[in-house]
Amino acid sequence: LTTPEIIKTDGQVIHPEGFSAVASGGHLVIFVANDGPNDLDLFATTRLDSGWSTPRLLTSDSPYSWHQQPAISANGLQVIFDCGDESYGDMAICEVNVDGSNFRIILTSDNPPEGMPAGSGWHHPDYAPDGSIVLEGDWGGETIWHLPLNASEPVMVNGVFNNDNSPCVLPDGRIVSLWLDRPDAEGFHEIKVMNSDGSEDSLILRDIDVLDVGIGCGG
């Protein structure tokens, strides 16, 4: 952390619009910018011997206008992210390969999960170690959900923590998130960690308000 590197592509400094993602090893950066065909698009740049590659557009095949909150798979081959027709509105979850191929929609906000009231959809996805997906669902309050491999319906991880958002998954499967509703927390977003099944939760950052743009998941 003592020696910063300014990432430049084609001699120009990248000015991302919000949340970015860095792959393990630092060789790949996925960032959000507004100079693509949509309101917000995802781009990838990779480390070269001579610097960093020309940004590669990842969301050209998307039917949506907004793409944000990227996270990179453990093998560095896929990116998962928020997608929708407006910034942080009725968001869906999309995935694309880091070369821009195989764009697909994972979940939409058209139908809330069974028994859930209407809400604003899905946000802040991240990959679990097995390749499944952990994400925030905003259905009558923000909670953490899990979409198992080959499943079409997410399941809630722990409904006790309402206003629990922006999950990141650690290499051992534990889920780190921002919790807003702790009693006597003065409305702070505090960093919480719990097991993948929602058990053995604990606060690791208390009485400090973290901006809920996201925690910053490692690749």
Side-chain angles (χ1 to χ4, degrees), residues 171-186:
D172 62 5
R174 289 182 297 163
I175 301 169
V176 182
S177 61
L178 295 177
W179 184 32
L180 179 61
D181 267 359
R182 181 177 68 84
D184 303 321
E186 301 182 13

Side-chain angles (χ1 to χ4, degrees), residues 44-68:
T45 181
T46 54
R47 187 187 296 275
L48 306 173
D49 291 340
S50 58
W52 290 83
S53 66
T54 299
R56 180 171 58 253
L57 175 64
L58 301 184
T59 44
S60 59
D61 293 334
S62 173
Y64 296 113
S65 299
W66 294 81
H67 312 87
Q68 52 200 6

